[in-house]
Amino acid sequence: MRTLVFDGRTGAAGDMICAALIAAGADPDVLSVVTDRLPVRYDIGETERNGIRATTVDVLLDGDGEREGGDGAEHGHEDGNAHDDSHDHAHGHDHSHDDGDAHDHSHDDGDAHGHADHAEGAGVHRGYPEVVALVESMGLPESVEAVALDAFERLGRAEATVHGTDLAETHFHEVGADDAIADVVGAALLLHDLDPDRVVTTPVATGGGEVAMSHGVYPVPAPATTEVAAAADFSVVGGPVDRELLTPTGAAILAAVAEGADAIPDLSVDSTGYGAGDASFDRHPNVLRVLVGEGGEAAAAGHDRPHAGATRGGGDLVHDDIAVLETNLDDAAPEVLGGLQATLKRAGARDVTIVPTTMKKSRPGHLVKVICKPDDAEAVAARLARETGTLGVRQSGASHRWIADREFETVALSLDGDDREVTVKVAATVDGDVYDVSAEFDDAAAAAEATGVPIRDVVRRAEQAVWDRLEAE
C-alpha cells in the first residue's frame, strides 16, 4: 500500500502543505488549473530552516487581474481592511503577530518579489456559496473537487460555529480570497498527482501563546482552527514554540485528506520533502515534512482500533442535533445496496442516500450517506458495517468514527499445483465478533494472473479458508 505521511510536529499551513507535496515529487504543472482560473501565480523556490533545505510556495498576484473576479480593481487591498474579520487563514504561520516580521514573504535565498505583489488576502472575499460555485466551475478531477469542497465546508462550519451563523450565510475573508483558494485547490491537485492509497498525519503542533485578530487577542490555536481540529481525525499537540503554527486552512486541508496516526508508521520510504513556513525559530526547523512509500497498514489499523474501555455514545453535534454517517463501498452487491433503506431505517436511520462514485484505481463504487439522531448513530453504524462489510464508518462533522477492529491474515493457497499467498482482511467488533472477511484484490489478481485461475475463484477460496479457520476455533 502506497502511503503518504504528513509529519506535523511544527504545524501546517496551506502554503507549507503545497510546498511539501512538491518537494516529495508532485508535479507543479498540475497547478495550471488554478492559474488559468484565478489572477495568481505560484512562486516556487527554496530556502533553509535550521540547516534543512526546504521548498517554498508563495501565491503572487499575476498582474492582469482579468480572470474570475471581473475587472482587476477588485484584486488588491482596496481599503486596507482585508483582515477585518480574522487573522490570515491561508499563510498564518507568521502573519498575525506583532514582532515586526509578521508579513515578510521574502525567502532567505533572495526572492525578489517582496510583499507588493503577494496575493495574501487579495482578490474577491467570497461567501461560502461563492467559494463552492468557484471550485465547481474549475473543471477539476472529481476527487480533487471533493477534497477542496470538503476543506472549505470544514472551514465554513468552523466559522459559522465561532460567529453563530448558518453555513450558507458564512462570509469568508482571508479564506475566501484568491490565495487561500489557490492553497486549498493546489494542495488537492498536488496530492492527486502523487496518488497515494492512504494519507495519514502524525499529531499536529498548534504552537502556543496568543494571536492578534480584529476582534481581540486570542490564545493559540485560534477559534476557527480549534473548531476544524475538533471535527478532524488527527490529534493536536501544543508547542513547541509560542507562535501560531497550525492555521485553519492547514487544519482543514489535513482534515479533508488524512487519517490520524500516533507516530510515523512502518514505511519503506520512496521520497520525502520539506515545505517551509515563513518564520525561522532558534531551535525548531519551521518545516512540514512529507514521506511517501510502501507500507503503513498496521499503524493505520492500530490507530483506528478502539481503545479498551472506549465509550461509543453519539455525542453532541453542532448542527440540528443530527449525525451524518458515511462510508465508501467498492464491492457491494446490488441486492445489498437495495436493501439498505429498510435495514438501516429499522436501526434508526432517518434518511439513506446511495451515490455512485469512482474510487481509487478508477474502480466504480458507491458513497452511502445516512442521517440519524446522535443517540442512534452507534446502532446505525454497526448495522451499516454488518450489512455491507465496510471496515469503517465516518461521522461527518464530528471528531470520531466507528471503525472495525481489523487484522490481516496471510492465506496459503494451492492453485493448480502452484502455491500462492493471499492477504485477507478480517473485520470484527471490539468484542471479537467477526462479521466480514475480504481478500486483498491485488494479491488475488497477482495469484490469478500467475496461475490462470479466475480472480473470483481465488477470492472465494482465500476468504473461505479464513471462515473455515474461524469456525474451527
Side-chain angles (χ1 to χ4, degrees):
M1 176 179 291
R2 186 168 176 80
T3 299
L4 184 146
V5 182
F6 289 102
D7 183 8
R9 67 190 65 202
T10 48
D15 55 346
M16 295 175 72
I17 293 173
C18 291
L21 293 173
I22 291 172
D27 184 359
D29 288 346
V30 301
L31 299 174
S32 62
V33 177
V34 177
T35 56
D36 288 345
R37 193 72 178 86
L38 293 175
V40 299
R41 56 190 170 89
Y42 294 90
D43 179 42
I44 300 169
E46 288 189 342
T47 189
E48 185 176 291
R49 293 286 182 262
N50 299 70
I52 295 178
R53 199 70 178 169
T55 298
T56 60
V57 171
D58 272 335
V59 180
L60 306 177
L61 293 177
D62 193 29
D64 57 24
E66 294 297 328
R67 292 185 292 282
E68 195 279 321
D71 61 0
E74 291 185 297
H75 295 286
H77 293 274
E78 304 165 46
D79 53 8
N81 67 346
H83 297 265
D84 60 354
D85 192 52
S86 63
H87 71 300
D88 176 21
H89 288 189
H91 300 268
H93 253 230
D94 198 20
H95 297 175
S96 300
H97 307 280
D98 299 324
D99 55 2
D101 65 345
H103 292 271
D104 178 17
H105 294 277
S106 61
H107 301 317
D108 292 349
D109 52 352
D111 177 16
H113 292 292
H115 185 75
D117 60 350
H118 199 281
E120 178 197 341
V124 180
H125 288 186
R126 305 168 181 87
Y128 173 73
E130 295 172 287
V131 171
V132 170
L134 174 58
V135 172
E136 290 178 340
S137 74
M138 287 184 168
L140 301 167
E142 184 177 351
S143 62
V144 174
E145 180 179 295
V147 167
L149 292 178
D150 187 355
F152 278 115
E153 181 176 354
R154 291 172 184 273
L155 287 166
R157 292 194 182 279
E159 293 287 355
T161 299
V162 171
H163 297 296
T165 61
D166 293 330
L167 179 61
E169 299 173 356
T170 298
H171 184 74
F172 292 140
H173 287 258
E174 279 72 19
V175 174
D178 290 341
D179 69 318
I181 293 174
D183 280 342
V184 172
V185 177
L189 286 164
L190 294 166
L191 187 63
H192 180 262
D193 183 66
L194 288 174
D195 193 27
D197 298 312
R198 181 188 296 272
V199 180
V200 302
T201 181
T202 64
V204 185
T206 63
E210 297 177 331
V211 57
M213 300 166 61
S214 61
H215 297 295
V217 177
Y218 293 83
V220 171
T225 304
T226 303
E227 292 296 328
V228 172
D233 187 61
F234 60 83
S235 58
V236 296
V237 60
V241 296
D242 282 343
R243 299 291 292 272
E244 182 189 40
L245 299 183
L246 178 62
T247 68
T249 301
I253 295 170
L254 293 181
V257 302
E259 302 174 36
D262 295 331
I264 296 173
D266 293 340
L267 205 66
S268 176
V269 178
D270 295 330
S271 65
T272 186
Y274 296 86
D278 290 333
S280 294
F281 307 134
D282 289 339
R283 299 180 56 191
H284 302 278
N286 186 18
V287 295
L288 173 66
R289 179 167 60 168
V290 163
L291 302 93
V292 184
E294 295 296 323
E297 298 94 336
H303 174 81
D304 286 342
R305 186 176 294 114
H307 299 292
T311 60
R312 297 291 189 123
D316 295 329
L317 294 180
V318 174
H319 300 278
D320 299 328
D321 201 28
I322 290 294
V324 180
L325 307 178
E326 61 182 30
T327 190
N328 295 334
L329 305 174
D330 63 359
D331 60 353
E335 297 82 1
V336 171
L337 294 173
L340 285 180
Q341 293 279 353
T343 55
L344 294 181
K345 285 186 177 180
R346 285 197 295 269
R350 302 300 179 94
D351 189 40
V352 180
T353 304
I354 302 172
V355 183
T357 188
T358 301
M359 301 178 65
K360 66 181 181 181
K361 301 182 180 178
S362 299
R363 297 173 184 166
H366 294 85
L367 169 64
V368 180
K369 296 178 73 74
V370 184
I371 297 175
C372 63
K373 301 299 291 183
D375 289 344
D376 297 329
E378 179 180 359
V380 174
R383 177 50 58 187
L384 179 57
R386 287 185 177 276
E387 291 293 332
T388 64
T390 183
L391 297 180
V393 178
R394 301 181 295 276
Q395 180 165 331
S396 178
S399 60
H400 57 275
R401 304 182 298 173
W402 285 277
I403 52 91
D405 190 0
R406 85 279 307 264
E407 294 181 354
F408 293 83
E409 291 192 18
T410 300
V411 175
L413 299 177
S414 178
L415 304 171
D416 288 348
D418 192 353
D419 293 334
R420 293 285 167 174
E421 292 185 343
V422 177
T423 301
V424 178
K425 290 179 288 190
V426 181
T429 67
V430 290
D431 297 325
D433 182 13
V434 175
Y435 65 83
D436 186 71
V437 297
S438 178
E440 290 286 84
F441 180 83
D442 288 347
D443 286 0
E449 183 177 0
T451 62
V453 177
I455 294 176
R456 64 177 185 172
D457 288 348
V458 177
V459 169
R460 176 183 56 79
R461 292 177 59 178
E463 293 174 352
Q464 189 60 49
V466 175
W467 282 121
D468 290 346
R469 179 191 64 76
L470 292 170
E471 291 173 359
E473 290 181 349

